[in-house]
Amino acid sequence: MKIGKSVKTLIAGTMAVACLASVAACGPGSSSSKSNANSEPVSTDVSKEKVELKLWDGAGLKTFDDQLIAAFQKKYPNITIKATYDPDNTSQQNGPRIISAADTPDIARITDINSAVRGKHLVNLDEYSKAYGWDLPDSQTQVYRVDSNGKIGSGSLYAVPDGISMTGLYWNKKLAKELGITEAPATVADLEADMKKATDAGKLAMMMPAKEGGTSYIYQALLTNYEGRDTVQNWIIQKDGATFNTKGALKAAQKIKDWQDAGYFSKDALALDGSTALSRFSNGEALFFPSGSWYTASINDALGDNAGWIAYPGEKADSGSAAANAVSAFGIPANAKHKNAAAAFLNFLQSDEARQIAVDNGYPPAGEGKTPSTDNQLLGQVLTAYEGLVKTGNTTDYINNATAGMQASAIIPGFQSLLDGTMTPQQFVDSIQKQYEKEAK
């Protein structure tokens, strides 16, 4: 399975503007070429001295990161990496503060492209890309690039991906068979018919983890179907004139509310977190579970061949599926003390060994190269779905990533209020746009 470089699909990312003459960050449009106090000449030879790197990430990626770190340290025994992790519910907001501190880590997960651009906090990776010969797919780097005017989508590279998270729809094939359903839904209408059939039979149609904003996954698929991926993606990367207040956003919100009112979600959906939802679905308690590829190992272990996965269906059978994808990426903060050693780690992320580690942890791999193997049949379905989505281009980044505070300040409370009826669909849409405008300014 090969992900083509020519596919112009925006997936996820972050970055800031910097000057090519120096690996220290500079402002958008700046012509300054002065190095800051932590600059060092670009070099791929990092074997001559012992170095301790600091790495920062969210706790949910600790297992993945630890395996990458162990493999990297085996290859570079003179380099050790000390990692620290923030809770997942705060890491998105903490990211901009982490990379802007005077004492930054050497390697950091970039959680907000726009604040990084405005703050001039990241190293321009173009010289490292040239030195190492990086040739990353356009589909995985386009929103990691920033031009001289500070516009995201083209220009210099500011982060390197290590894996891809993808949202989609898990389904229980055994329960489906008991309900007389023989195949996955091909359209939104099919999905609704299947959920009604489950509800009428006294079964839970969809396991909805609304406590942590999980409703956004399937909502975004509906939004992309109704509004088009370019409109959604342009809003996420804060293109001029982009707005969330669209007919498609309102229609998608109304659809989610209709499903809630029809009883397709559990009665405790508002209190249901992701791990509890995973446990219940794995125990066979629902027909569908909208979530991410990161759960493939757990669900495959629990349900085996009865576990299925599809990208979210479109309005018509031939209209193509839709999904949100996010490339999980690391950058080098401008104040990092050991930039060359940090760049060696970014280079390692593109190796066949690192790509295999990504797949072993349930993530479609970044970059290109030898197709990693997997014994997880469910992850195999995800990889196939991902390949198809890259070809059609009907993917976006997560709406949760539009601003640093979007998840905690708007997505989670907004969907809670939509589902419990304290917000109308229009009020929900307005609340998302209000938070967006507050932060984008």
Side-chain angles (χ1 to χ4, degrees):
M1 182 181 305
K2 189 174 183 180
I3 301 169
K5 291 182 291 182
S6 62
V7 181
K8 303 297 183 181
T9 308
L10 294 177
I11 300 182
T14 78
M15 300 316 97
V17 174
C19 297
L20 182 60
S22 145
V23 291
C26 302
S30 170
S31 60
S32 172
S33 61
K34 293 181 180 180
S35 300
N36 69 15
N38 294 323
S39 292
E40 58 183 310
V42 170
S43 174
T44 61
D45 183 2
V46 294
S47 62
K48 294 180 180 179
E49 61 178 332
K50 289 188 176 181
V51 173
E52 180 179 278
L53 297 177
K54 295 179 181 178
L55 180 148
W56 174 84
D57 205 349
L61 290 167
K62 183 179 186 302
T63 300
F64 182 17
D65 289 356
D66 286 349
Q67 292 176 27
L68 289 172
I69 290 169
F72 174 79
Q73 291 178 154
K74 186 176 181 180
K75 183 174 182 180
Y76 294 95
N78 61 306
I79 302 175
T80 57
I81 299 180
K82 182 179 181 180
T84 58
Y85 300 94
D86 276 10
D88 288 328
N89 62 346
T90 61
S91 62
Q92 178 79 8
Q93 289 178 290
N94 288 347
R97 175 181 58 80
I98 295 293
I99 67 169
S100 64
D103 184 23
T104 61
D106 301 283
I107 305 162
R109 185 74 62 188
I110 310 303
T111 63
D112 182 6
I113 181 171
N114 295 291
S115 67
V117 168
R118 291 192 297 266
K120 315 165 191 175
H121 297 312
L122 291 173
V123 166
N124 184 316
L125 298 176
D126 284 351
E127 289 190 12
Y128 286 115
S129 180
K130 182 178 179 180
Y132 279 106
W134 295 342
D135 189 17
L136 291 161
D138 292 343
S139 63
Q140 297 173 5
T141 62
Q142 195 166 6
V143 293
Y144 294 103
R145 296 184 179 277
V146 183
D147 66 19
S148 60
N149 295 313
K151 297 295 184 180
I152 300 164
S154 63
S156 294
L157 179 68
Y158 290 89
V160 169
D162 62 335
I164 297 161
S165 62
M166 172 181 170
T167 63
L169 197 61
Y170 292 101
W171 64 297
N172 186 321
K173 295 181 180 180
K174 180 180 179 181
L175 180 55
K177 185 176 181 180
E178 293 173 1
L179 294 169
I181 300 169
T182 59
E183 57 186 12
T187 66
V188 174
D190 291 342
L191 174 60
E192 290 185 297
D194 290 345
M195 289 196 293
K196 185 177 187 305
K197 186 173 291 188
T199 302
D200 289 346
K203 303 292 184 180
L204 180 59
M206 182 172 287
M207 191 69 68
M208 178 57 68
K211 181 179 180 180
E212 300 170 341
T215 314
S216 65
Y217 300 145
I218 196 162
Y219 171 85
Q220 186 168 344
L222 293 169
L223 172 63
T224 302
N225 284 328
Y226 297 149
E227 199 61 45
R229 59 90 48 211
D230 288 346
T231 298
V232 178
Q233 185 67 15
N234 288 344
W235 181 81
I236 293 169
I237 64 174
Q238 299 187 13
K239 280 202 170 183
D240 293 343
T243 180
F244 197 82
N245 205 332
T246 64
K247 291 181 179 179
L250 180 60
K251 184 178 179 181
Q254 185 63 60
K255 181 68 71 174
I256 293 295
K257 186 63 170 67
D258 290 345
W259 290 351
Q260 164 77 354
D261 293 344
Y264 294 160
F265 309 148
S266 65
K267 293 181 179 179
D268 64 346
L270 293 175
L272 194 59
D273 59 36
S275 60
T276 304
L278 168 65
S279 177
R280 291 186 186 178
F281 180 77
S282 296
N283 286 332
E285 296 181 26
L287 178 59
F288 297 113
F289 177 33
S291 191
S293 55
W294 49 88
Y295 283 150
T296 53
S298 296
I299 293 175
N300 190 66
D301 288 345
L303 299 179
D305 291 341
N306 288 320
W309 164 284
I310 59 168
Y312 296 113
E315 280 293 277
K316 299 178 181 179
D318 60 354
S319 63
S321 301
N325 291 308
V327 175
S328 178
F330 284 112
I332 303 175
N335 290 330
K337 294 180 174 62
H338 305 289
K339 294 183 175 66
N340 286 337
F345 181 77
L346 300 190
N347 183 63
F348 174 75
L349 296 179
Q350 302 168 57
S351 67
D352 288 343
E353 184 176 5
R355 284 164 50 79
Q356 183 64 61
I357 292 172
V359 168
D360 291 344
N361 282 273
Y363 295 96
E368 293 184 309
K370 180 182 177 182
T371 302
S373 61
T374 178
D375 294 328
N376 181 337
Q377 65 85 27
L378 187 56
L379 179 57
Q381 294 181 52
V382 172
L383 296 175
T384 298
Y386 174 69
E387 182 181 34
L389 282 166
V390 169
K391 289 179 179 178
T392 63
N394 203 29
T395 64
T396 63
D397 188 7
Y398 296 116
I399 57 174
N400 314 55
N401 292 340
T403 67
M406 183 59 65
Q407 172 78 353
S409 299
I411 292 292
I412 292 176
F415 277 111
Q416 290 251 330
S417 297
L418 175 66
L419 293 179
D420 70 15
T422 56
M423 271 189 186
T424 66
Q426 184 63 62
Q427 289 172 329
F428 164 79
V429 170
D430 291 342
S431 72
I432 299 295
Q433 182 62 20
K434 181 178 179 180
Q435 180 66 27
Y436 180 82
E437 291 176 357
K438 176 182 176 181
E439 294 192 69
K441 291 179 180 178

